[in-house]
Amino acid sequence: MRIVIAGGHGQIAMRLERLLAARGDEVAGIIRNPEQADDLTTAGAEPVVLDLESASVAELARVLAGADAVVFAAGAGPGSTAARKETVDRDAAVLLADAAERAGVRRYLIVSSINADSEHAGDGVFDAYLRAKGAADDAVRARSALDWTVVRPGALTDDAGTGQVQLTERTGRGPVPRDDVAAVLAELLTVPGTAGLTLELIGGATAVEDAVRAAAEGR
């Protein structure tokens, strides 16, 4: 399976790249900064330098040609402005959806956030982030040409993964290690029955494989 990850140098993306490469998948990570290329190569991924804030649909579609799935794991990151929440967290996700449709790639995973809501009120940067994530989710879910899954993790931590999660439509707030988010994404790519689901994700007591399969079977 060939998987292209937008935001390829992000903390979740790097973990996901290592997992996918270790199981024999072909992985490419889209990055803006060419200085990050060696890190992706070390993780087992092919670095693709492309700025998602300025790339065209046609340029990105060429990168996606031949892919079996795409993962949107990009984000403007801590310290960024409200404007960049829109151009990265929202607009780049929509761009990836447009390019996936053009390239004929149906499977699309998007890493969102618990409480993401395009109508979220508030003037803070985090409020803008939740609105941007919510708008991106809405845009992806509106694509009938995509087999999308929206993953909404709780508070992300750098704790070692436990391999135990809660993955349901509504989990409530809670922390989750980035290791376990990456493990869930890797498993979702192997379970087509999760297409069309929006799933919240926090730490829990169910093994990742079992949690993903339960989500698919409980639709």
Side-chain angles (χ1 to χ4, degrees):
M1 182 182 291
R2 177 172 172 79
I3 298 130
V4 180
I5 303 171
H9 197 260
Q11 295 188 64
I12 291 173
M14 292 287 292
R15 288 167 166 83
L16 178 58
E17 287 157 2
R18 287 190 285 267
L19 289 175
L20 296 177
R23 76 181 188 193
D25 289 321
E26 182 182 348
V27 191
I30 299 172
I31 53 176
R32 183 177 62 172
N33 183 353
E35 294 181 358
Q36 298 170 341
D38 287 347
D39 291 339
L40 268 70
T41 301
T42 299
E46 171 197 351
V48 177
V49 179
L50 186 69
D51 187 348
L52 295 177
E53 289 181 273
S54 61
S56 68
V57 173
E59 288 173 323
L60 184 52
R62 285 194 289 272
V63 172
L64 304 185
D68 298 291
V70 297
V71 179
F72 185 82
S80 58
T81 64
R84 291 204 71 228
K85 304 302 184 190
E86 295 180 356
T87 58
V88 179
D89 293 274
R90 183 193 66 193
D91 295 348
V94 175
L95 176 71
L96 185 65
D98 290 340
E101 288 187 343
R102 181 173 294 197
V105 182
R106 290 196 61 89
R107 192 70 171 112
Y108 186 119
L109 302 187
I110 180 169
V111 182
S112 182
S113 175
I114 279 183
N115 296 326
D117 183 351
S118 60
E119 301 299 323
H120 179 83
D123 298 326
V125 173
F126 189 69
D127 299 315
Y129 168 78
L130 292 177
R131 283 193 296 273
K133 283 295 190 186
D137 295 349
D138 291 345
V140 171
R141 289 184 295 204
R143 306 301 181 97
S144 60
L146 298 179
D147 294 330
W148 52 264
T149 303
V150 176
V151 181
R152 291 181 160 180
L156 298 169
T157 76
D158 288 326
D159 296 337
T162 66
Q164 306 279 313
V165 299
Q166 183 179 349
L167 181 71
T168 58
E169 183 179 354
R170 292 285 184 269
T171 62
R173 295 183 180 182
V176 60
R178 288 179 172 87
D179 286 349
D180 289 334
V181 177
V184 166
L185 293 171
E187 190 65 23
L188 285 167
L189 288 166
T190 71
V191 182
T194 56
L197 298 179
T198 298
L199 300 168
E200 294 186 353
L201 171 61
I202 60 174
T206 304
V208 167
E209 290 185 8
D210 294 338
V212 170
R213 277 159 179 74
E217 293 167 2
R219 57 183 307 140

